[in-house]
Amino acid sequence: MSIRVVLVDDQVLVRTGFRMILDETGDIEVVGEAGDGAAAMEVTARTRPDVVLMDVRMPGVDGITATERIRALCPAPKVIILTTFDLDDYLFAGLRAGASGFLLKDTLADDLITALRVVVSGEAVTAPSATRRLIAHFVNAPTVPPARPDSRLTVLTAREREVLVLIARGLSNAEIAGDLSVSEGTVKTHISRILAKLGLRDRVQAVILGYECGLVRP
């Protein structure tokens, strides 16, 4: 089955360029385009894509607002923020709005195609510079322990908390399985339950929550 994609950018030439790149693949189909956030929501609701490639700065409804509203659809497509501006405000706002990735427009064509396939599989992608800033943000954050355990974690079992800690430390499923002496299938089940219980979209949000709750410290 092909990956259905909607392109959102206020510049027609940019959308044309992306379409030409994606049309060269055998498993990706562009099913719609939009020049602003309002049109993006309409096109997405009508075409039901798997992924939306979303610009940030657009007239009217911006890309961050559109991302949040699109992620509220059922079923909700994945969203990759694709922007010229490598700014922390866009990075954190986009991830919090529900985006599964943050890439710059100078991303190589092969990397863009790979990113689409990765987010459809349930993982998240970020540009290397964005990943470095995410890590730096938490490393430089105050390490004062919380006054009490974060109430958001009370829904997790002891084992699920262990898995969340290892996710936040950057371990892969195979590494977590080895650390806990369980199968990778069991790890995947734990991760699915963690994401569902905490209302998280993917591992990136799980990592952010782990640090925010003080479960993991730099």
Side-chain angles (χ1 to χ4, degrees), residues 49-110:
D50 300 301
V51 186
V52 177
L53 281 179
M54 180 73 72
D55 189 19
V56 175
R57 289 188 176 181
M58 296 180 291
V61 179
D62 64 78
I64 302 300
T65 302
T67 294
E68 187 171 15
R69 294 177 183 174
I70 285 173
R71 288 294 300 161
L73 296 174
C74 187
K78 307 292 186 180
V79 177
I80 296 177
I81 299 291
L82 196 59
T83 179
T84 306
F85 306 98
D86 190 10
L87 302 176
D88 286 353
D89 287 349
Y90 292 159
L91 169 61
F92 290 106
L95 293 177
R96 291 187 185 281
S100 294
F102 183 93
L103 298 176
L104 301 180
K105 287 183 181 177
D106 62 1
T107 297
L108 297 177
D110 287 347

Side-chain angles (χ1 to χ4, degrees), residues 163-194:
V163 173
L164 179 56
V165 168
L166 297 176
I167 292 173
R169 288 177 177 166
L171 273 66
S172 66
N173 287 357
E175 291 169 333
I176 294 173
D179 194 83
L180 299 179
S181 299
V182 297
S183 69
E184 283 193 58
T186 298
V187 171
K188 291 179 180 178
T189 298
H190 284 313
I191 293 174
S192 295
R193 289 174 179 169
I194 290 168

Side-chain angles (χ1 to χ4, degrees), residues 74-159:
C74 187
K78 307 292 186 180
V79 177
I80 296 177
I81 299 291
L82 196 59
T83 179
T84 306
F85 306 98
D86 190 10
L87 302 176
D88 286 353
D89 287 349
Y90 292 159
L91 169 61
F92 290 106
L95 293 177
R96 291 187 185 281
S100 294
F102 183 93
L103 298 176
L104 301 180
K105 287 183 181 177
D106 62 1
T107 297
L108 297 177
D110 287 347
D111 292 338
L112 174 61
I113 292 167
T114 297
L116 289 168
R117 293 169 178 158
V118 167
V119 298
V120 166
S121 73
E123 297 293 337
V125 292
T126 57
S129 61
T131 302
R132 288 193 296 270
R133 296 203 314 282
L134 276 173
I135 294 170
H137 171 78
F138 292 114
V139 168
N140 296 325
T143 56
V144 178
R148 60 182 64 85
D150 195 293
S151 60
R152 288 175 289 183
L153 301 178
T154 58
V155 297
L156 302 181
T157 65
R159 175 62 86 180

